[in-house]
């Protein structure tokens, strides 16, 4: 089978489980986009200017987003658009939602760091936007949307690993870097909670930096395995490996990539097979 067959299995009929799974993936991306936009709107309402315009904000002035009520109005528009896209009222709803989401992202990003999870949500919503605009058959739309989401997510993890190695070479995995990061996060934790506590794993890294080297090596190798999400036989194992990596980040640096973990679990674990099994058992005659 070619890679396209693994990502877009259009050569066989769609099962009810696959349909349900695709709609859940699409719904999670749409709902998450609205949640991210709402959080950005809350932040934007408290500032008066965008001091460091980035991305599209360098060419398109976005200070108007800071006017009272505008940001929340954009959230309402985004919610309406993703609702229309979900209901397939118009195939141009998702592309319009992408534009609104990106403008809000650029405005928020011009004031500092935004969450990484919004990138993953945006890519998935873009995948379904392309699928809905390009095809008329619903089963094809669902399969292309999920397949493109898997491709983009796998590529983004690979690119994260490549970027680290291009920037720092093999020295990126030096455990002393993790020692420094743990210490920096402890300062953040102390300023936020007034308490400074280390878990067992953090204490091990601080006591023996080679442990940090092992953990960072596992992390960058896990990211490099992102393309394994593209093949059906390795998809589940790649998802579990990446989820494990994010749990490791939480335990060592107190950074919780909640959206990544949930998104990977929804997108790449074999829910469609489970749904098909449950539906088959429900439809089976009593006593069988």
């Amino acid at each position: 089978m070619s890679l396209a067959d693994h990502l877009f299995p259009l050569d066989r009929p769609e099962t009810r489980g696959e349909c349900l799974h695709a709609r859940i993936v699409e719904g999670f991306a749409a709902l998450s986009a609205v949640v991210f936009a709402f959080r950005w709107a809350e932040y934007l309402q408290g500032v008066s200017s965008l001091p460091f315009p980035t991305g599209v904000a360098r060419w398109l002035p976005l200070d108007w987003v800071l006017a009272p009520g505008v940001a929340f109005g954009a959230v309402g528009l985004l919610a309406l658009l993703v609702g229309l896209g979900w209901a397939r009222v118009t195939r141009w709803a998702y592309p319009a939602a992408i534009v609104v989401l990106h403008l809000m992202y650029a405005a928020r990003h011009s004031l500092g760091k935004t969450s990484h999870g919004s990138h993953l949500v945006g890519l998935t919503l873009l995948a379904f936007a392309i699928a809905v605009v390009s095809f008329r058959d619903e089963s094809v739309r669902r399969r292309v949307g999920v397949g493109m989401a898997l491709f983009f997510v796998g590529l983004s993890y690979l690119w994260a690993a490549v970027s680290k190695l291009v920037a720092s070479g093999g020295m990126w995995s030096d455990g002393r870097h993790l020692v420094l990061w743990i210490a920096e996060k402890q300062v953040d934790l102390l300023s936020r909670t007034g308490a400074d506590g280390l878990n067992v794993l953090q204490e091990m890294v601080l006591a023996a930096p080679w442990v940090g080297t092992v953990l960072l090596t596992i992390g960058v190798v896990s990211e490099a395995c992102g393309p394994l999400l593209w093949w059906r036989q390795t998809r589940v194992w790649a998802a579990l490996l990446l989820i494990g990596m994010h749990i490791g980040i939480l335990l060592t640096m107190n950074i919780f990539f909640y959206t990544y973990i949930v998104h990977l679990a929804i997108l790449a674990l074999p829910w469609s097979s489970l749904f098909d099994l449950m539906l088959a058992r429900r439809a089976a005659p009593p006593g069988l």
Side-chain angles (χ1 to χ4, degrees), residues 155-198:
L155 183 63
S156 67
Y157 275 109
L158 175 63
W159 194 247
V162 171
S163 298
K164 291 179 175 66
L165 297 178
V166 168
S168 305
M171 290 302 294
W172 183 87
S173 296
D174 190 329
R176 291 173 294 181
H177 296 162
L178 187 54
V179 170
L180 176 61
W181 293 330
I182 291 174
E184 289 178 344
K185 293 304 295 183
Q186 287 305 305
V187 173
D188 294 340
L189 181 64
L190 180 62
S191 64
R192 186 170 63 250
T193 66
D196 181 15
L198 295 171

Side-chain angles (χ1 to χ4, degrees), residues 261-281:
I261 292 174
V262 177
H263 191 284
L264 281 168
I266 291 175
L267 178 64
L269 296 185
W271 297 110
S272 58
S273 298
L274 178 60
F275 293 151
D276 282 331
L277 180 61
M278 293 172 61
L279 291 170
R281 288 185 175 179

Side-chain angles (χ1 to χ4, degrees), residues 228-229 234-245 264-265 268-269:
L228 295 180
L229 292 169
T234 57
R235 187 168 298 156
V236 173
W237 301 110
L240 293 175
L241 182 64
L242 291 167
I243 290 172
M245 179 198 70
L264 281 168
L269 296 185

Side-chain angles (χ1 to χ4, degrees), residues 6-25:
H6 285 270
L7 289 173
F8 315 110
L10 302 177
D11 58 334
R12 56 183 175 79
E14 181 187 44
T15 67
R16 293 174 63 190
E18 289 174 329
C19 174
L20 179 57
H21 174 240
R23 293 294 276 171
I24 290 174
V25 173

Side-chain angles (χ1 to χ4, degrees), residues 51-271:
F52 304 107
T54 58
V56 70
R58 291 186 293 173
W59 298 280
L60 180 65
L62 294 179
D63 289 282
W64 53 270
V65 177
L66 306 179
V70 171
F72 286 112
V75 175
L77 176 60
L78 178 64
L80 174 63
L81 289 170
V82 297
L84 293 175
W86 167 265
R88 301 293 190 265
V89 174
T90 170
R91 60 178 178 167
W92 298 106
Y94 277 159
I98 290 291
V99 173
V100 175
L101 182 67
H102 187 69
L103 289 177
M104 293 199 65
Y105 169 82
R108 175 63 182 88
H109 194 58
S110 297
L111 292 163
K113 183 180 179 181
T114 58
S115 65
H116 288 26
S118 59
H119 302 161
L120 207 63
V121 167
L123 283 173
T124 302
L125 193 61
L126 176 61
F128 279 95
I130 294 173
V132 170
V133 169
S134 302
F135 303 96
R136 294 191 178 277
D137 184 272
E138 270 301 314
S139 65
V140 175
R141 286 174 169 177
R142 289 189 288 266
R143 283 180 162 174
V144 170
V146 171
M148 289 185 68
L150 285 166
F151 178 80
F152 283 143
V153 171
L155 183 63
S156 67
Y157 275 109
L158 175 63
W159 194 247
V162 171
S163 298
K164 291 179 175 66
L165 297 178
V166 168
S168 305
M171 290 302 294
W172 183 87
S173 296
D174 190 329
R176 291 173 294 181
H177 296 162
L178 187 54
V179 170
L180 176 61
W181 293 330
I182 291 174
E184 289 178 344
K185 293 304 295 183
Q186 287 305 305
V187 173
D188 294 340
L189 181 64
L190 180 62
S191 64
R192 186 170 63 250
T193 66
D196 181 15
L198 295 171
N199 59 41
V200 175
L201 186 59
Q202 290 172 326
E203 291 177 347
M204 290 175 60
V205 172
L206 295 180
W210 67 265
V211 175
T213 300
V214 172
L215 293 175
L216 290 179
T217 301
I218 293 174
V220 74
V221 170
S222 298
E223 288 183 327
C225 290
L228 295 180
L229 292 169
W230 301 345
W231 283 273
R232 198 174 305 156
Q233 295 90 333
T234 57
R235 187 168 298 156
V236 173
W237 301 110
L240 293 175
L241 182 64
L242 291 167
I243 290 172
M245 179 198 70
H246 286 301
I247 294 175
I249 293 173
L250 173 62
L251 294 176
T252 54
M253 291 184 284
N254 297 317
I255 303 174
F256 190 20
F257 288 90
Y258 168 80
T259 304
Y260 274 73
I261 292 174
V262 177
H263 191 284
L264 281 168
I266 291 175
L267 178 64
L269 296 185
W271 297 110

